[in-house]
Amino acid sequence: MLNALEVFTTVAVGVMVGVEFSVAFFVNPILDGLPGDNGLRGRTHGARLLGAVMPFWYIGSLVLAALWAVIGWHGHGAGLVVTAAGLLVLSVAMSILLLVPINDRVKTWTAEGAPADWRQQMHRWDRFHYARVAVIVAAFTLLVTALV
């Protein structure tokens, strides 16, 4: 059972990292390059869609890593898993404190009703998101290392 939990946790976190990496380095730069308010429209739609899914994914990944840490406490790589779980806690805290407040505003914007500084707010979100991606990449790397 522990082996299945280890693999499932690693895959869940790995796919989450892939989604967040893609948002940071591909999707948002593409949206920012669109003419007019099309990038804004894409960002607001993304904020609604991913804002509904990602909280469950982040919390679920944290719960899986915590279970792995508890069940495999005396096993190989336990310290790596505990550290990865700690990083996932940090990523959840970053989300709640830094990214969600901006995301909640973005979800309500329309092309006609966006604030004048919407681009600055998006760039601020992007900077926080880059840091969060680095944290979850580190957590994923620790989980993969513990797995092997």
Side-chain angles (χ1 to χ4, degrees):
M1 173 160 141
L2 180 59
N3 288 341
L5 176 63
E6 292 169 344
V7 170
F8 187 74
T9 302
T10 304
V11 170
V13 173
V15 175
M16 180 177 73
V17 166
V19 168
E20 295 291 37
F21 185 90
S22 294
V23 167
F25 296 102
F26 297 104
V27 174
N28 286 345
I30 289 168
L31 292 174
D32 290 345
L34 294 174
D37 64 359
N38 291 315
L40 170 63
R41 291 172 192 252
R43 291 258 196 166
T44 58
H45 182 65
R48 286 188 296 273
L49 177 66
L50 292 174
V53 173
M54 296 314 287
F56 298 103
W57 208 337
Y58 273 84
I59 298 296
S61 294
L62 172 56
V63 168
L64 289 170
L67 283 172
W68 178 358
V70 169
I71 294 170
W73 182 252
H74 296 291
H76 170 74
L80 296 171
V81 177
V82 169
T83 305
L87 289 172
L88 292 172
V89 168
L90 176 61
S91 73
V92 169
M94 291 173 72
S95 297
I96 292 168
L97 298 173
L98 303 172
L99 291 126
V100 169
I102 298 170
N103 200 60
D104 284 346
R105 288 191 303 270
V106 173
K107 289 189 301 191
T108 65
W109 294 347
T110 63
E112 302 79 28
D117 69 339
W118 73 268
R119 287 187 194 276
Q120 290 81 5
Q121 290 188 53
M122 290 293 82
H123 292 301
R124 183 172 186 219
W125 187 93
D126 288 342
R127 287 191 305 275
F128 292 144
H129 184 63
Y130 293 141
R132 181 175 62 178
V133 168
V135 169
I136 63 174
V137 165
F140 176 66
T141 301
L142 291 171
L143 293 175
V144 169
T145 305
L147 194 58
V148 290

